[in-house]
Amino acid sequence: MMPLPRTVIIGGGFGGLSCAKSLGGAATAVTLIDQRNYHLFQPLLYQAATALVGPSDIAWPIRSLVRRHRNIRTLLGTVIGIDRGERIVRLDDGNSIAFDFLVVATGARHAYFGHDEWEAFAPGLKNLDDATNIRRKILVAFERAEFESDPQKRAALLTFVIVGGGPTGVELAGMIAELTRRTLPGEFRAFDPQSSRVILVESNARILATFAEPLSAFATRSLAQMGVEILTGVAVTHVDAKGIARGDEPIEAATVLWAAGVQASPAAKWLDTLSDRAGRVVVGPDLSVADGIWVIGDTAAVQSNGKPVPGLAPAAKQQGQYVGHLIRRRLSGQTEAPQPFRYRHQGNLATVSRRAAIADFPHLRLKGRLAWWLWGIAHIFFLIGARNRIAVALNWLWAHATGGRGARLITRHDDKDA
Amino acid sequence: MMPLPRTVIIGGGFGGLSCAKSLGGAATAVTLIDQRNYHLFQPLLYQAATALVGPSDIAWPIRSLVRRHRNIRTLLGTVIGIDRGERIVRLDDGNSIAFDFLVVATGARHAYFGHDEWEAFAPGLKNLDDATNIRRKILVAFERAEFESDPQKRAALLTFVIVGGGPTGVELAGMIAELTRRTLPGEFRAFDPQSSRVILVESNARILATFAEPLSAFATRSLAQMGVEILTGVAVTHVDAKGIARGDEPIEAATVLWAAGVQASPAAKWLDTLSDRAGRVVVGPDLSVADGIWVIGDTAAVQSNGKPVPGLAPAAKQQGQYVGHLIRRRLSGQTEAPQPFRYRHQGNLATVSRRAAIADFPHLRLKGRLAWWLWGIAHIFFLIGARNRIAVALNWLWAHATGGRGARLITRHDDKDA
């Protein structure tokens, strides 16, 4: 029996996982490699960072998601390079994996605009460890404030700066504002949590620039009503342990969170190929960079109908399925050139608070409570598995009814585990 | 107005928390100090360590549990000493807290019988970070086994040794056996998880020595049916990265978990007072070691009716309430000697599998399914808050029906966060 062609997929996010699933049962031996053992539902990651849901509510072991496809094996490993000539993927443990077809779906990390030293003071949010770290940072600031006698230092502990006014920044700011206004009041003796400042900094003229202007204006008003201070039009010029500078204006803050930019993973370097300014690999209309090598999701700079495809979960999923389809064609011996990838935009959604959201669809704009319900139903629907749907719905219901947060734990305590 | 007498409680476990709550509204300013921000439901901690429930399902922010008592403040801090003469508690950040009344409820940690170097290879289970670490250790062993080609090394990766046959050791062994026999089969391509060995090592002649002999025998049979190998009568003589030695017999195992002994926290040293062999402070019949200073829970060696009080949650709770009552008496000016502490034993419960448990009550012994239901209902009942009860019940139901585990996440991945 001839050995099956080998497909290697790097990355178990929305793109890599959908590609793997679309190859379930196909005549290829698939290896799905990720440096973490879980697939993450990133759209709700900000809720884990703000103690609303637990990490296990929004993540699933990758191998359990593909268990029924006997032709797919899952490998926990860290890729450090790709040899296009030898057609192997190199891992950091010295092993390498040979491929006939390769799909690179390694996503993106935060970008600090050339100031990597800021990362230590302003963590970003991409995986569960980031979320747990941010959760700890926020909760510890309140704990320290309770026993800080210097008013200026206490004020800095109670100031939360979020850099970046995209959906993640807006959602983080809204969540922290609710934490200070709704969850924590009554629990501290030395200060009123409602006196906390939550500051959202955006260098553009308005927040949520990818949404239509009226929706962005609605989000601005909603956040302001919740006590969030929105500072637009001036970029952050410095970040350190004391806080940030915005232009020339210093803002003292013990907690600075980064939601300002992303940088693609080093796939372009691995593949020794062209990348755009954000480090994304420039791919052909069929998402390939070479024969039998594709790059998808946030790692790729993709055009569709002459427009750049946004870095959203549905786009990554569509690309994964598209490449899965191309590989199946190859396996069945079809050689004619494939149709180029076409992105079907399903709309933009963002939550502002536990009651308000904005929805920007091709033919429909919604804001407020109805948009929130739409947002909630869509996200519950896209969660994998009944258990997680119930768990997340339960946490939302709980927070809605009582203001409480189920996951307010400071784990990995510095003195023990740092 | 005269300042209120100051009560300091060190430790937010079952003992410290119940003491604090019993002082809610009393004419004393209470400071509750813990080095973690959460109260932990330790009886279910082994389920968090084996991915059945999430950490946030079994823990609550201490300050949210006492928020309605305005005379109680909560302090996240690490105590490093007590000055009995000055009547102050010293913290590691250089601050100190003065007290009129002091309650020490700092619990216990694992003890390695003088071999502290074993801890690096055989972690114990006392807090959520321990649980997350153990969960990662177990799950990573399977991940490594999938890509280990040397059969001997793979066998070591698939061998799980639990040292200590008390309730925690039995519960861990049962849970890991279910993981290998029920949750994981079908997810790996290079081996069958059912070929894993789960070995429970106990130096006494039988496991669960605090239970009646027939119940212990039942647990032994149940575990054996689930595939757990039980080795009794010989103590562990060595632990290292390769595994353990049991007497002269080496057992290669990548995962060794420690459930063999506890050592009280250093309270006896802080208080410069007498302790027993396990480091527990020897207290008087009213749990005091000096005027206005009490030691309770696992930190204290307590006698009741001439018998030592066991290190169980109900015992710690009863002691916390008893001392709270004594402090209230003092506050109201009563000076006559109090009644000595009397422990009301409510029975021993332990689970063996998701279907079987054993229950040893003063006038009733139960084993099997009925005991499991009793165990389950009791534990759900004692969880704090509707949200957690529903979340834990949901996870149990899910595991029961599907064999799946909701919290199988490897967080704090070595390469990123070590």
Side-chain angles (χ1 to χ4, degrees):
Chain A
M1 199 176 91
M2 250 189 30
L4 292 176
R6 296 154 302 184
T7 301
V8 170
I9 300 170
I10 314 175
F14 287 113
L17 186 67
S18 77
C19 184
K21 283 184 161 177
S22 73
L23 289 170
T28 174
V30 178
T31 302
L32 178 55
I33 309 175
D34 199 292
Q35 53 181 335
R36 303 183 188 269
N37 83 322
Y38 56 82
H39 169 72
L40 178 65
F41 192 71
Q42 276 198 357
L44 293 183
L45 190 56
Y46 75 97
Q47 296 197 352
T50 50
L52 187 58
V53 301
S56 55
D57 299 335
I58 56 165
W60 306 263
I62 293 170
R63 63 173 67 256
S64 73
L65 299 178
V66 295
R67 76 192 289 171
R68 70 194 179 84
H69 304 300
R70 301 296 301 179
N71 67 318
I72 305 177
R73 63 174 188 166
T74 311
L75 164 53
L76 179 69
T78 301
V79 171
I80 54 166
I82 295 166
D83 190 324
R84 282 170 60 165
E86 300 271 331
R87 294 188 91 78
I88 54 172
V89 170
R90 295 189 198 287
L91 303 178
D92 67 346
D93 62 3
N95 287 323
S96 54
I97 316 276
F99 62 83
D100 299 297
F101 304 119
L102 175 67
V103 183
V104 180
T106 42
R109 286 286 302 175
H110 353 288
Y112 290 84
F113 311 131
H115 291 280
D116 288 350
E117 72 277 13
W118 294 355
E119 183 165 15
F121 311 111
L125 186 59
K126 274 287 167 192
N127 61 51
L128 287 182
D129 289 309
D130 294 339
T132 317
N133 288 342
I134 288 176
R135 182 176 76 180
R136 183 180 62 244
K137 208 173 159 77
I138 294 170
L139 296 176
V140 164
F142 290 107
E143 296 292 336
R144 295 216 173 118
E146 177 79 336
F147 282 79
E148 177 57 63
S149 48
D150 179 331
Q152 197 185 349
K153 286 186 186 162
R154 184 188 291 157
L157 285 166
L158 297 176
T159 302
F160 301 85
V161 171
I162 297 97
V163 183
T168 300
V170 164
E171 287 168 335
L172 278 173
M175 276 282 158
I176 297 173
E178 290 202 344
L179 196 65
T180 63
R181 267 63 178 172
R182 217 171 113 79
T183 307
L184 297 181
E187 294 196 5
F188 293 87
R189 305 293 175 245
F191 65 91
D192 180 352
Q194 303 191 59
S195 67
S196 308
R197 294 178 71 192
V198 182
I199 303 171
L200 181 63
V201 180
E202 166 61 49
S203 60
N204 283 317
R206 62 178 176 100
I207 60 170
L208 297 169
T210 59
F211 286 77
E213 203 284 328
L215 296 180
S216 159
F218 171 79
T220 302
R221 286 195 307 275
S222 300
L223 287 171
Q225 273 167 19
M226 296 161 64
V228 177
E229 303 168 42
I230 300 175
L231 305 178
T232 55
V234 179
V236 167
T237 49
H238 185 73
V239 183
D240 63 21
K242 299 220 156 210
I244 65 159
R246 183 178 161 268
D248 296 331
E249 174 203 6
I251 301 176
E252 283 193 29
T255 307
V256 180
L257 305 180
W258 195 262
V262 292
Q263 177 76 25
S265 62
K269 214 177 62 190
W270 295 344
L271 290 165
D272 191 20
T273 185
L274 227 63
S275 63
D276 70 0
R277 222 162 44 110
R280 294 178 303 178
V281 173
V282 177
V283 296
D286 68 343
L287 310 183
S288 72
V289 292
D291 184 47
I293 301 181
W294 296 269
V295 183
I296 63 173
D298 288 356
T299 322
V302 182
Q303 300 277 325
S304 173
N305 296 323
K307 282 188 296 189
V309 175
L312 297 173
K317 280 190 195 175
Q318 290 173 25
Q319 292 170 41
Q321 283 155 4
Y322 171 81
V323 171
H325 173 70
L326 294 194
I327 293 174
R328 279 184 177 269
R329 277 169 50 110
R330 293 280 290 261
L331 294 170
S332 67
Q334 290 180 54
T335 49
E336 68 270 40
Q339 293 286 320
F341 171 72
R342 289 277 286 275
Y343 171 57
R344 298 177 305 283
H345 185 62
Q346 293 163 350
N348 281 329
L349 277 166
T351 39
V352 181
S353 72
R354 94 206 121 78
R355 290 226 179 102
I358 55 177
D360 198 346
F361 295 109
H363 302 290
L364 177 70
R365 284 179 195 157
L366 285 174
K367 56 182 196 280
R369 208 173 273 243
L370 184 61
W372 189 93
W373 279 100
L374 187 73
W375 174 93
I377 289 166
H379 283 73
I380 290 281
F381 177 79
F382 282 112
L383 282 170
I384 299 170
R387 197 199 69 90
N388 296 68
R389 288 186 190 132
I390 300 171
V392 168
L394 174 67
N395 278 311
W396 288 355
L397 204 67
W398 182 253
H400 207 89
T402 69
R405 302 257 171 137
R408 260 169 59 208
L409 306 175
I410 302 175
T411 46
R412 293 180 64 196
H413 200 301
D414 294 341
D415 61 344
K416 302 292 290 180
D417 306 291
Chain B
M1 199 176 92
M2 250 191 27
L4 292 176
R6 296 153 303 183
T7 300
V8 170
I9 301 171
I10 313 175
F14 287 113
L17 187 67
S18 77
C19 184
K21 283 184 161 177
S22 73
L23 289 170
T28 174
V30 178
T31 302
L32 176 56
I33 309 175
D34 199 292
Q35 54 182 333
R36 302 182 190 271
N37 85 320
Y38 55 82
H39 170 72
L40 178 65
F41 193 70
Q42 276 199 356
L44 293 183
L45 190 55
Y46 75 97
Q47 296 197 352
T50 51
L52 187 58
V53 301
S56 54
D57 298 335
I58 56 165
W60 305 262
I62 294 170
R63 64 173 66 257
S64 72
L65 300 178
V66 295
R67 76 192 289 171
R68 69 193 180 86
H69 304 300
R70 300 295 303 179
N71 66 319
I72 305 177
R73 63 174 189 166
T74 310
L75 165 54
L76 179 70
T78 300
V79 171
I80 54 167
I82 296 166
D83 189 324
R84 282 170 59 166
E86 300 273 329
R87 293 187 93 77
I88 54 173
V89 170
R90 293 190 199 286
L91 304 179
D92 69 346
D93 61 4
N95 287 324
S96 54
I97 316 275
F99 63 83
D100 299 297
F101 304 118
L102 176 67
V103 183
V104 180
T106 42
R109 285 287 301 174
H110 353 288
Y112 289 83
F113 310 131
H115 291 279
D116 287 351
E117 72 276 13
W118 293 356
E119 183 165 14
F121 311 110
L125 186 59
K126 274 287 168 192
N127 60 52
L128 287 182
D129 289 309
D130 294 340
T132 316
N133 288 342
I134 288 176
R135 181 176 78 179
R136 182 178 63 244
K137 210 174 159 76
I138 294 170
L139 296 175
V140 164
F142 290 105
E143 296 292 337
R144 295 215 173 119
E146 177 79 336
F147 282 79
E148 177 57 63
S149 47
D150 178 332
Q152 198 186 348
K153 285 187 187 161
R154 183 188 291 157
L157 284 166
L158 297 176
T159 302
F160 300 85
V161 171
I162 297 96
V163 183
T168 300
V170 164
E171 287 168 335
L172 278 173
M175 276 282 158
I176 296 172
E178 290 202 345
L179 196 65
T180 62
R181 267 63 179 172
R182 216 170 113 79
T183 307
L184 297 181
E187 293 198 5
F188 294 86
R189 304 293 175 246
F191 65 91
D192 180 351
Q194 303 191 58
S195 66
S196 309
R197 294 179 70 192
V198 182
I199 303 171
L200 181 63
V201 180
E202 166 61 50
S203 61
N204 284 317
R206 63 179 175 98
I207 59 171
L208 297 171
T210 59
F211 286 77
E213 203 282 330
L215 296 180
S216 159
F218 171 79
T220 301
R221 285 195 307 275
S222 300
L223 287 171
Q225 272 166 20
M226 295 161 64
V228 177
E229 303 168 43
I230 301 175
L231 305 177
T232 54
V234 179
V236 167
T237 49
H238 185 73
V239 182
D240 64 21
K242 299 219 156 213
I244 65 158
R246 182 177 162 268
D248 296 331
E249 173 204 8
I251 300 176
E252 282 192 29
T255 308
V256 181
L257 305 179
W258 194 263
V262 291
Q263 176 78 23
S265 63
K269 213 176 63 189
W270 293 344
L271 291 165
D272 190 21
T273 184
L274 227 62
S275 63
D276 71 359
R277 224 163 41 113
R280 295 179 303 178
V281 173
V282 178
V283 295
D286 67 344
L287 311 184
S288 73
V289 292
D291 183 46
I293 301 182
W294 295 270
V295 182
I296 63 173
D298 288 357
T299 323
V302 183
Q303 300 277 327
S304 173
N305 297 322
K307 283 189 295 190
V309 175
L312 297 172
K317 280 191 196 174
Q318 290 173 25
Q319 291 169 42
Q321 283 155 4
Y322 171 82
V323 170
H325 174 70
L326 293 194
I327 292 174
R328 279 185 177 269
R329 277 170 50 110
R330 293 280 290 263
L331 294 170
S332 66
Q334 290 180 54
T335 49
E336 69 270 40
Q339 292 286 320
F341 171 73
R342 289 277 286 275
Y343 171 57
R344 297 176 305 284
H345 185 60
Q346 293 163 348
N348 280 329
L349 278 166
T351 38
V352 180
S353 73
R354 93 207 121 78
R355 291 228 178 101
I358 55 177
D360 199 346
F361 294 110
H363 303 290
L364 177 70
R365 284 178 195 159
L366 285 175
K367 56 182 196 284
R369 208 172 273 242
L370 185 62
W372 189 93
W373 279 100
L374 188 73
W375 174 93
I377 290 166
H379 282 73
I380 290 281
F381 177 79
F382 281 112
L383 281 170
I384 299 169
R387 197 199 70 91
N388 296 67
R389 287 185 191 134
I390 300 171
V392 168
L394 173 67
N395 278 312
W396 287 356
L397 204 68
W398 182 254
H400 206 89
T402 69
R405 302 257 171 137
R408 261 169 59 208
L409 305 176
I410 302 176
T411 47
R412 294 180 62 194
H413 200 299
D414 294 342
D415 61 344
K416 299 294 290 181
D417 306 292

